[in-house]
Amino acid sequence: MRIVLDAMGSDNCPIPDVEGAVLAAREYSDSIILVGDQSKIHHELAKYNTVGLNLEVVHASEAVLMTDKPSAVGKEKPNSSMHIGLNLVKDKRADAFVTAGNTGATLTIATLFTLRRIPGVKRPALVSIIRLPENRSIILLDIGANADAKSEWLIQFGIMGGIYAQKAGHLPNPRIALVSNGEEEGKGNQLVIEAAQLMKASQLNYIGNIEPKDILRGGADVIVTDGFVGNIIIKSFEAMGSTLSNLIRHELKRDLVSQLGGLLANAAFRRVAKQIDPYEIGGAPLLGVNGVVIIGHGRSNAIAIKNAIRQARLAVSGGIIEAIKGGLYDTGMKSE
Amino acid sequence: MRIVLDAMGSDNCPIPDVEGAVLAAREYSDSIILVGDQSKIHHELAKYNTVGLNLEVVHASEAVLMTDKPSAVGKEKPNSSMHIGLNLVKDKRADAFVTAGNTGATLTIATLFTLRRIPGVKRPALVSIIRLPENRSIILLDIGANADAKSEWLIQFGIMGGIYAQKAGHLPNPRIALVSNGEEEGKGNQLVIEAAQLMKASQLNYIGNIEPKDILRGGADVIVTDGFVGNIIIKSFEAMGSTLSNLIRHELKRDLVSQLGGLLANAAFRRVAKQIDPYEIGGAPLLGVNGVVIIGHGRSNAIAIKNAIRQARLAVSGGIIEAIKGGLYDTGMKSE
């Protein structure tokens, strides 16, 4: 398997990116193609013993910044590491593309300039893989590719998310649910009510509406929503998580007894942190484009990059692109 | 001031409801009118020393249940405590109505059967008052009255929420923001983008888009969104809060050192819990109907009921109904 890593992706690029690639090349036997500023990449690579590792460097003279406008960057930076890296996948010279860079730019360059959509896919969707206790995880999509969505797009998100959970996550029959403001049938805004009708009439393992508390309890495996609501959910979870952590940290410093308590409870806190550590997932797919694309967080460290590469391996070895093509075909949605 | 309390509201009604009324009557000098099954109410009242308290009981032969369909209950239970209580406000025999009952039913009975809308208000909105550390609080609306909204409604939510923050919350010039999937201008779904244009053109103290993390940091005082997204935000905050609390509780039980740590840190945990305790707010208004209506959580205890009554006092003494009428008039939105 050949996996392209955008070496210019993360906020601290190329440091964690290159280290993550080295870790992945060591742990898996895949070849990793690092795309970016070759002198910077070689400078970082020199820090590690890379003898026997399948690491390759492809130069890219430009890099997409977090501040670049996604709508402009495809045209303005045709030689970016993203552009060149995605073209390697398009040209079948690699099996997957991984980046911790600008999400909107990845979406635009993948969808409009390089891989383009899988035939029949109306809109690609961004996925978040949410970890739950006991090493379970669920898929939430769309988390931002489409701020406004139509009900027929949501159905496709359900199909693609279900296939991903099955093929990359090895879940035999993933349960699919729609985010709503009530569990009862008929609850929701117009979009959700329409999508629920379509879901019920489909062959999907659709189990109904889901509310945020049941998302975190693992009440479904694939949670479908529009990109605006999905984005707000992810950010609300993160915001409450960090608000509560900060409050606890603050209150544990208030007096000596609390400080001692905090010290003794430290191992427990670390176990909690590990269970919700986003670095353990590393990245999640952009589904619906004609090639495997995994996007990680800008704040990724080397472990997160390595895990994003692992996510790409799971997607490639699960054959998700072919499976999505087949899935759309089975449901009569393939246009060609 | 005369405040009506729906004695049949909370999940454990009328026990916490009546006790909350007694606490409020003791703490404030207002008269509290308890509406509901008079024999049950008198049975509860007999548990307390009510000498000198301004407590009055009005009988209602029916009660709205949490399982009642909001759309049907207005017609099917015309003698419910909600219906009778709201009519007392409509008939100017009381200044405010407080309930911990079925939110959808309160909305329907208030809007369509009793108080009706303030002239010029397109849609009423449900408010959540979110507590932040250091005794600050912010207003989020709509959290569920309108699953689908129009941009002109969002503007009115901003006006009404701003007036509430000013008159009941004593904030001189509340900052108003729109929930979006990015802070930058132009980010959002179609509804948010349109509403942002209207907000900018209005006389409101509109400060732009806000994301969940900045909601919890107090980045604005009045946060405007549609009822679907608002509902999901509130529920996502709650879900993550309780998930994290449960994880911590679980991990603190794992071994003796953690247990001891948890014991010593207990006071700190209680300080954290107190800061995010929803009972401290008690209830939040339904804005846009022609009378003060405060809705609390079904799980309310007596303290929460008392605090919901306090919220009603703040709203009445701030003169919010007249202020909203004036606010709509100032912005040319009053239809008559």
Side-chain angles (χ1 to χ4, degrees):
Chain A
M1 197 182 299
R2 290 165 60 82
I3 293 170
V4 178
L5 177 75
D6 176 7
M8 314 311 279
S10 81
D11 294 346
N12 296 317
C13 74
I15 300 169
D17 313 78
V18 172
E19 188 186 350
V22 171
L23 294 175
R26 269 184 205 153
E27 190 163 331
Y28 321 121
S29 52
D30 310 320
S31 27
I32 313 281
I33 307 169
L34 288 150
V35 184
D37 181 321
Q38 60 184 0
S39 72
K40 285 186 182 167
I41 295 171
H42 282 297
H43 179 82
E44 286 305 314
L45 278 176
K47 296 178 181 170
Y48 308 98
N49 179 1
T50 56
V51 175
L53 300 184
N54 282 320
L55 289 165
E56 194 183 318
V57 177
V58 169
H59 182 64
S61 59
E62 296 174 307
V64 173
L65 307 177
M66 288 295 180
T67 48
D68 279 335
K69 264 205 136 125
S71 55
V73 85
K75 278 213 170 126
E76 287 173 6
K77 290 187 175 174
N79 299 310
S80 73
S81 53
M82 263 182 203
H83 215 120
I84 290 174
L86 284 161
N87 268 331
L88 290 172
V89 179
K90 183 192 169 200
D91 299 341
K92 310 282 180 211
R93 292 166 57 203
D95 302 296
F97 174 78
V98 177
T99 182
N102 187 320
T103 301
T106 313
L107 174 66
T108 309
I109 299 173
T111 310
L112 303 178
F113 291 86
T114 56
L115 300 173
R116 300 185 185 269
R117 281 176 280 167
I118 291 172
V121 167
K122 294 180 196 294
R123 289 292 186 287
L126 282 163
V127 170
S128 173
I129 303 176
I130 301 176
R131 287 181 74 213
L132 304 179
E134 293 161 14
N135 269 322
R136 294 166 63 208
S137 60
I138 51 167
I139 279 178
L140 174 68
L141 79 170
D142 175 23
I143 62 154
N146 313 278
D148 290 281
K150 296 184 175 168
S151 52
E152 315 94 70
W153 306 357
L154 295 193
I155 284 286
Q156 288 201 338
F157 299 168
I159 295 171
M160 296 192 295
I163 288 170
Y164 197 83
Q166 214 167 30
K167 301 292 178 180
H170 303 296
L171 267 183
N173 189 23
R175 298 158 302 160
I176 298 172
L178 280 167
V179 173
S180 192
N181 56 339
E183 293 165 359
E184 308 84 358
E185 195 175 335
K187 276 267 187 179
N189 56 16
Q190 208 48 48
L191 175 69
V192 170
I193 292 168
E194 280 174 35
Q197 295 300 328
L198 296 179
M199 290 266 182
K200 276 178 72 175
S202 76
Q203 295 162 23
L204 291 172
N205 182 15
Y206 170 65
I207 61 163
N209 290 343
I210 194 165
E211 292 192 273
K213 67 175 187 297
D214 288 317
I215 295 177
L216 291 180
R217 282 179 194 153
D221 304 302
V222 176
I223 323 276
V224 176
T225 186
D226 67 70
F228 187 86
V229 172
N231 194 270
I232 297 289
I233 290 174
I234 293 294
K235 287 176 176 169
S236 296
F237 286 161
E238 285 173 2
M240 191 60 190
S242 74
T243 298
L244 198 50
S245 308
N246 290 340
L247 262 178
I248 292 171
R249 212 170 286 133
H250 180 78
E251 291 299 337
L252 284 174
K253 283 184 189 149
R254 278 257 187 127
D255 55 76
L256 274 173
V257 177
S258 303
Q259 278 175 37
L260 182 61
L263 218 62
L264 294 173
N266 196 33
F269 292 142
R270 267 187 286 120
R271 287 193 298 268
V272 171
K274 196 168 161 55
Q275 284 180 66
I276 56 173
D277 179 7
Y279 294 153
E280 293 279 327
I281 298 290
L286 167 63
L287 289 179
V289 292
N290 204 353
V292 173
V293 175
I294 303 290
I295 304 177
H297 203 288
R299 286 194 304 265
S300 290
N301 60 13
I303 300 290
I305 298 284
K306 188 202 76 175
N307 287 331
I309 292 172
R310 183 174 54 90
Q311 204 57 244
R313 303 184 75 231
L314 291 169
V316 172
S317 59
I320 61 144
I321 302 299
E322 289 311 310
I324 289 174
K325 287 176 182 168
L328 294 175
Y329 185 81
D330 288 347
T331 50
M333 284 189 178
K334 196 168 172 178
S335 63
E336 51 211 67
Chain B
M1 198 181 299
R2 289 164 63 80
I3 294 170
V4 179
L5 177 74
D6 176 7
M8 314 312 279
S10 82
D11 294 348
N12 296 316
C13 75
I15 300 169
D17 313 78
V18 171
E19 187 186 351
V22 171
L23 294 176
R26 270 184 204 151
E27 190 164 330
Y28 321 120
S29 53
D30 310 319
S31 16
I32 312 282
I33 306 169
L34 288 149
V35 184
D37 181 321
Q38 60 184 359
S39 73
K40 286 185 181 168
I41 295 172
H42 281 298
H43 179 81
E44 285 306 313
L45 276 175
K47 296 178 180 171
Y48 307 97
N49 178 359
T50 56
V51 176
L53 299 183
N54 282 319
L55 289 165
E56 195 181 317
V57 176
V58 169
H59 183 64
S61 58
E62 295 174 307
V64 173
L65 307 177
M66 288 296 178
T67 47
D68 278 335
K69 263 203 137 110
S71 55
V73 85
K75 278 215 169 123
E76 287 173 6
K77 290 186 174 174
N79 298 310
S80 74
S81 53
M82 263 183 202
H83 215 119
I84 290 174
L86 283 161
N87 268 332
L88 289 172
V89 178
K90 184 193 170 201
D91 299 342
K92 310 285 181 209
R93 291 166 57 201
D95 302 294
F97 175 78
V98 176
T99 182
N102 186 322
T103 302
T106 313
L107 174 66
T108 309
I109 299 174
T111 310
L112 303 178
F113 291 87
T114 56
L115 299 174
R116 300 183 185 269
R117 281 175 280 167
I118 291 172
V121 167
K122 293 179 197 295
R123 288 293 186 284
L126 282 163
V127 170
S128 173
I129 303 176
I130 301 176
R131 287 181 75 211
L132 303 180
E134 292 160 17
N135 270 322
R136 293 167 60 208
S137 60
I138 53 168
I139 279 178
L140 175 68
L141 78 169
D142 174 24
I143 62 154
N146 313 277
D148 290 282
K150 295 183 174 169
S151 53
E152 316 93 72
W153 306 357
L154 295 192
I155 284 285
Q156 288 200 338
F157 299 168
I159 295 171
M160 296 192 295
I163 287 168
Y164 197 82
Q166 213 168 30
K167 300 293 178 181
H170 303 297
L171 268 182
N173 189 22
R175 297 159 302 159
I176 298 172
L178 279 167
V179 173
S180 193
N181 56 339
E183 294 165 0
E184 309 84 356
E185 194 176 334
K187 278 268 188 178
N189 56 16
Q190 209 48 48
L191 175 68
V192 170
I193 291 168
E194 280 175 33
Q197 296 300 328
L198 296 179
M199 289 267 182
K200 276 178 72 176
S202 76
Q203 296 161 23
L204 291 172
N205 182 16
Y206 170 65
I207 60 163
N209 290 345
I210 194 164
E211 291 192 274
K213 67 174 187 299
D214 287 316
I215 295 177
L216 291 181
R217 283 179 193 150
D221 304 302
V222 176
I223 324 276
V224 176
T225 187
D226 68 70
F228 187 86
V229 172
N231 194 270
I232 298 289
I233 291 175
I234 292 295
K235 287 176 177 169
S236 296
F237 285 160
E238 284 173 2
M240 191 60 190
S242 74
T243 298
L244 199 51
S245 308
N246 290 341
L247 262 177
I248 292 172
R249 210 169 288 134
H250 181 77
E251 290 300 336
L252 283 175
K253 283 184 189 150
R254 278 256 188 129
D255 54 74
L256 273 172
V257 177
S258 303
Q259 279 176 37
L260 181 60
L263 219 62
L264 294 173
N266 197 35
F269 292 142
R270 268 187 284 121
R271 287 193 297 266
V272 170
K274 196 169 162 55
Q275 285 179 65
I276 55 173
D277 179 5
Y279 294 155
E280 293 281 326
I281 297 289
L286 167 63
L287 290 179
V289 292
N290 204 354
V292 174
V293 175
I294 303 290
I295 305 177
H297 203 289
R299 286 195 304 266
S300 290
N301 61 13
I303 300 290
I305 298 285
K306 188 202 78 176
N307 287 330
I309 292 172
R310 183 174 53 90
Q311 206 55 245
R313 303 185 75 232
L314 291 169
V316 173
S317 59
I320 60 143
I321 302 299
E322 288 312 309
I324 289 174
K325 287 176 182 168
L328 294 176
Y329 185 81
D330 288 347
T331 50
M333 284 188 177
K334 195 169 172 179
S335 64
E336 52 209 71

